[in-house]
């Protein structure tokens, strides 16, 4: 793993390849800098499919009934959302909401054609 940071002190302390100093303040420019430095290539089919906690795959489709008793999912989300996904490693639950919608808008501004959630999940 590599720490991406705007903290020069942290980057200097971890100069052995464990960190990368991101120079720009603008998120779009930051992403471009990281992509260029590491030679990253995006596969639009992989967008928003990794867990933010453990980097596992977010693939398991869950029904509202399956998350009904889950205290990690807020009551207002349970009442308004009918499609959920879980990480296959740590079981973190995801749903389409403001954060994922904003992430999709950001990626689309960069020219990425991405759906707001995994498309292979069929609500039961």
């Amino acid at each position: 793993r590599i720490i991406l940071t705007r903290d020069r002190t942290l980057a200097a302390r971890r100069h052995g390849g464990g960190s990368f100093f991101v120079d720009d303040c603008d998120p779009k420019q930051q992403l471009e800098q990281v992509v260029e430095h590491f030679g990253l290539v995006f596969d639009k089919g992989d967008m928003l499919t990794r867990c933010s906690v453990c980097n596992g795959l977010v693939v398991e489709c869950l029904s509202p009934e399956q998350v009904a008793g889950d205290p990690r999912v807020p009551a207002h989300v349970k009442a308004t959302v009918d499609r959920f996904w879980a990480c296959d490693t740590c079981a973190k639950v995801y749903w389409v909401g403001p954060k994922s919608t904003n992430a999709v808008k950001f990626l689309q501004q960069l020219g990425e054609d991405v759906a707001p959630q995994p498309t292979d999940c069929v609500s039961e």
Side-chain angles (χ1 to χ4, degrees):
R1 292 192 183 222
I2 297 173
I3 296 172
L4 303 178
T5 182
R6 294 245 330 111
D7 183 329
R8 289 184 189 276
T9 305
L10 176 61
R13 279 189 303 199
R14 304 210 21 134
H15 75 87
S19 67
F20 177 70
F21 177 72
V22 181
D23 192 42
D24 210 291
C25 292
D26 177 66
K28 291 178 194 170
Q29 296 300 317
Q30 289 175 340
L31 182 59
E32 287 178 10
Q33 183 182 3
V34 170
V35 167
E36 182 178 317
H37 179 80
F38 292 103
L40 302 178
V41 178
F42 293 108
D43 180 346
K44 67 182 175 183
D46 288 338
M47 297 287 190
L48 305 177
T49 61
R50 289 293 185 167
C51 179
S52 62
V53 173
C54 72
N55 202 36
L57 287 173
V58 178
V59 293
E60 184 180 350
C61 185
L62 303 175
S63 68
E65 294 77 25
Q66 289 173 291
V67 299
D70 192 327
R72 300 171 298 176
V73 180
H76 71 278
V77 172
K78 293 176 189 175
T80 58
V81 175
D82 63 355
R83 295 174 73 182
F84 299 88
W85 296 266
C87 172
D88 69 353
T89 303
C90 74
K92 177 174 173 59
V93 179
Y94 293 88
W95 58 89
V96 175
K99 289 180 184 176
S100 55
T101 301
N102 289 340
V104 168
K105 286 179 184 176
F106 177 78
L107 292 170
Q108 288 172 335
Q109 288 174 353
L110 298 174
E112 298 296 334
D113 182 23
V114 60
Q117 70 275 335
T119 57
D120 59 352
C121 182
V122 178
S123 189
E124 298 171 343

